[in-house]
Amino acid sequence: MKKILSALLAVVMICTFAFVIVSCKKSNTGSVYYLNFKPEQDKDWQTLAQKYTQETGVEVVVVTAASNTYETTLKSEMAKSDAPTLFQVNGPVGLASWKNYCYDLKDSAIYKNLSSDDFALIDNGSVYGVAYVIETYGIIYNKLILNKYFTLEGAVASSIEEVNTFDKFKALVEDIQAKKTVLGIEGAFTSSGMDSSSDWRFKTHLANMPIYYEFEETNPTSFATIEGRYLDNYKNIWDLYINNSTAAPSELAGKTGDDAAAEFRNGKAVFYQNGTWAYNDIKSVGDENLGMLPIYIGGPGEENQGLCTGSENYWCVNKNVSDADISATLDFLEWVITSDEGRTSMSSDMNFVTPFKTFTNEYQADNPLIKAANAYITAGKTSVKWLFPTMPSEQWKNDVGSALTAYAAGTGTWDNVKSAFVNGWAAEYSKVNG
């Protein structure tokens, strides 16, 4: 009986020891929680996460914030016990709010494989964020409809190559709008929707244009204030959009990003302000029919202007999670930028142009909008810098967006837009920076 009891006790001890070992091994493996910024790439990230889990056994959870809610969602998720291990900020301004959460990436594979420090958020030798995609935006156009227009009697241009200033573009847009019935379209532009899925195209991306031209002149060392030197130009391009589109200006508050994409995809409009990331939404138009034009606003030397190119998407690893989760997250990111599955997904499925040296020729996005962007660079045109990181806060963008919407609806004035832009800038900068 003693021998039997001893044997049973030994078995129990071995099983208990094995359970502890397995449990420890499981807890030390770590896991990844990625709070994704881009709704249009949600399915791709879900698929990639699943592949990684199948290959390594490491759990990767991807949660995608709804459009225009990322900062709010991030604040909510960071307050939870199971906080994101991987998140993103939109440049130096975004980093200011989250710097104390950012793990130093200076020894990481994603930083070591970065093609240039221009794509990293570095402060006092510490690397707080790494850009993972370089994007370009402008005015996407339908070549098929444009070529039909160019054959019409009285057309103001015979090819898109003739259009390289705001005045020329304005004449083209207004003539297309006047001939929309002949062309079988509903407007020159898609609707400039101002709901949360679409307003960022105008309160951020379009707003970048007057900021760019002002800062090119003033070369500021501080971004505490802005003069608004090119706000009349901002008004001119906004008026062109809303008065020559598929929807009346008063309808824009309820129009969505999906509305605009569908209008362009279905051939109801010729022009659509958006970027390279929108390709998957409109590719049914046909690669051969897609082109992209710079956003001309009447700035000095704009005939030599290219497209708007840059990034506001920086990966940051949460230093406040467990060491195991940090390690798992860094391993996952390394796999994304070095494995065949990761590089293929980012270049072919997500259509990203990435700043990593690991993305050799066979891992380049086959996207006609990217090719259009590269063509402007090859032609020696000057790319417009993304100055979103200088914008003082998300609230500033929202206030500008509200003023634009009211102006379009006829319930507000352009002076309100100017006030939101200039006075709002100073107030928000002071509030955020103390």
Side-chain angles (χ1 to χ4, degrees):
M1 182 61 69
K2 287 181 179 180
K3 289 181 179 180
I4 293 173
L5 288 173
S6 297
L8 287 173
L9 181 61
V11 170
V12 170
M13 289 177 67
I14 290 170
C15 289
T16 302
F17 181 71
F19 175 77
V20 170
I21 294 296
V22 170
S23 297
C24 290
K25 184 177 181 182
K26 183 177 180 182
S27 64
N28 287 331
T29 299
S31 59
V32 181
Y33 168 14
Y34 178 29
L35 184 61
N36 173 39
F37 173 78
K38 290 177 165 293
E40 62 270 28
Q41 268 81 42
D42 176 67
K43 290 182 181 178
D44 298 320
W45 279 114
Q46 300 293 351
T47 299
L48 201 56
Q50 187 177 23
K51 286 181 181 178
Y52 186 73
T53 299
Q54 290 172 346
E55 184 176 314
T56 65
V58 175
E59 181 185 25
V60 178
V61 174
V62 177
V63 174
T64 299
S67 183
N68 212 33
T69 66
Y70 191 82
E71 195 71 11
T72 303
T73 305
L74 181 58
K75 288 178 181 178
S76 173
E77 292 301 296
M78 281 298 199
K80 297 178 180 179
S81 56
D82 293 326
T85 67
L86 177 63
F87 63 100
Q88 74 172 68
V89 298
N90 68 346
V93 170
L95 180 64
S97 300
W98 297 103
K99 191 174 180 179
N100 292 335
Y101 289 79
C102 296
Y103 180 81
D104 188 354
L105 299 170
K106 66 176 180 293
D107 295 322
S108 69
I110 56 168
Y111 175 63
K112 290 178 179 179
N113 282 293
L114 204 60
S115 60
S116 169
D117 278 353
D118 290 343
F119 304 116
L121 299 175
I122 302 175
D123 186 19
N124 292 324
S126 295
V127 180
Y128 292 105
V130 169
Y132 63 89
V133 57
I134 302 167
E135 297 175 306
T136 297
Y137 70 91
I139 297 175
I140 302 170
Y141 60 86
N142 185 315
K143 293 180 181 179
L144 193 63
I145 303 174
L146 264 185
N147 288 336
K148 182 179 179 181
Y149 165 79
F150 292 138
T151 65
L152 297 179
E153 184 177 352
V156 300
S158 59
S159 73
I160 196 64
E161 285 70 31
E162 298 175 21
V163 181
N164 60 358
T165 65
F166 174 76
D167 288 340
K168 291 178 180 178
F169 184 57
K170 181 175 186 289
L172 174 65
V173 168
E174 291 178 342
D175 199 39
I176 287 175
Q177 185 76 10
K179 295 179 170 63
K180 65 180 182 180
T181 303
V182 176
L183 292 169
I185 61 176
E186 295 182 5
F189 272 98
T190 60
S191 55
S192 300
M194 293 302 289
D195 92 314
S196 61
S197 68
S198 176
D199 63 348
W200 50 269
R201 295 189 290 141
F202 313 109
K203 69 183 185 183
T204 304
H205 288 195
L206 189 61
N208 185 75
M209 297 304 302
I211 298 170
Y212 167 76
Y213 275 107
E214 177 170 330
F215 286 175
E216 283 294 292
E217 285 183 358
T218 61
N219 194 27
T221 55
S222 167
F223 302 113
T225 61
I226 192 168
E227 295 176 29
R229 294 186 181 191
Y230 287 90
L231 289 185
D232 287 343
N233 303 73
Y234 187 35
K235 177 181 184 297
N236 291 340
I237 188 68
W238 181 238
D239 284 345
L240 193 67
Y241 283 6
I242 66 176
N243 293 323
N244 299 277
S245 83
T246 58
S250 59
E251 299 174 356
L252 298 183
K255 289 291 184 178
T256 69
D258 286 342
D259 290 333
E263 289 160 11
F264 186 82
R265 189 169 57 240
N266 295 326
K268 294 181 179 180
V270 184
F271 301 111
Y272 172 40
Q273 188 204 296
N274 217 325
T276 49
W277 56 86
Y279 171 64
N280 284 339
D281 290 333
I282 60 173
K283 63 183 179 182
S284 60
V285 172
D287 287 6
E288 70 281 7
N289 295 321
L290 290 173
M292 188 148 52
L293 199 67
I295 301 175
Y296 298 116
I297 67 168
E302 67 178 357
E303 61 275 8
N304 293 315
Q305 176 189 309
L307 299 168
C308 305
T309 300
S311 182
E312 62 170 348
N313 301 283
Y314 291 83
W315 275 331
C316 300
V317 173
N318 187 353
K319 74 176 184 181
N320 299 324
V321 298
S322 69
D323 289 344
D325 286 350
I326 291 173
S327 179
T329 302
L330 294 173
D331 288 345
F332 172 65
L333 289 176
E334 181 175 4
W335 179 85
V336 167
I337 69 162
T338 60
S339 69
D340 181 65
E341 295 95 331
R343 289 180 292 176
T344 298
S345 178
M346 289 189 76
S347 60
S348 298
D349 300 333
M350 302 185 201
N351 280 290
F352 284 169
V353 174
T354 66
F356 301 108
K357 292 179 285 189
T358 53
F359 283 75
T360 45
N361 288 338
E362 65 272 32
Y363 298 106
Q364 297 300 315
D366 187 20
N367 181 332
L369 301 178
I370 292 171
K371 292 177 181 177
N374 291 337
Y376 279 99
I377 294 172
T378 301
K381 303 298 183 182
T382 302
S383 297
V384 172
K385 300 171 187 174
W386 282 26
L387 294 171
F388 313 151
T390 68
M391 295 175 179
S393 69
E394 195 65 29
Q395 186 60 49
W396 177 84
K397 298 177 189 178
N398 292 338
D399 291 343
V400 170
S402 296
L404 286 174
T405 306
Y407 170 75
T411 58
T413 67
W414 189 255
D415 282 342
N416 297 141
V417 177
K418 285 184 175 181
S419 179
F421 211 103
V422 177
N423 299 333
W425 184 294
E428 282 299 307
Y429 185 93
S430 178
K431 185 186 300 182
V432 171
N433 294 279

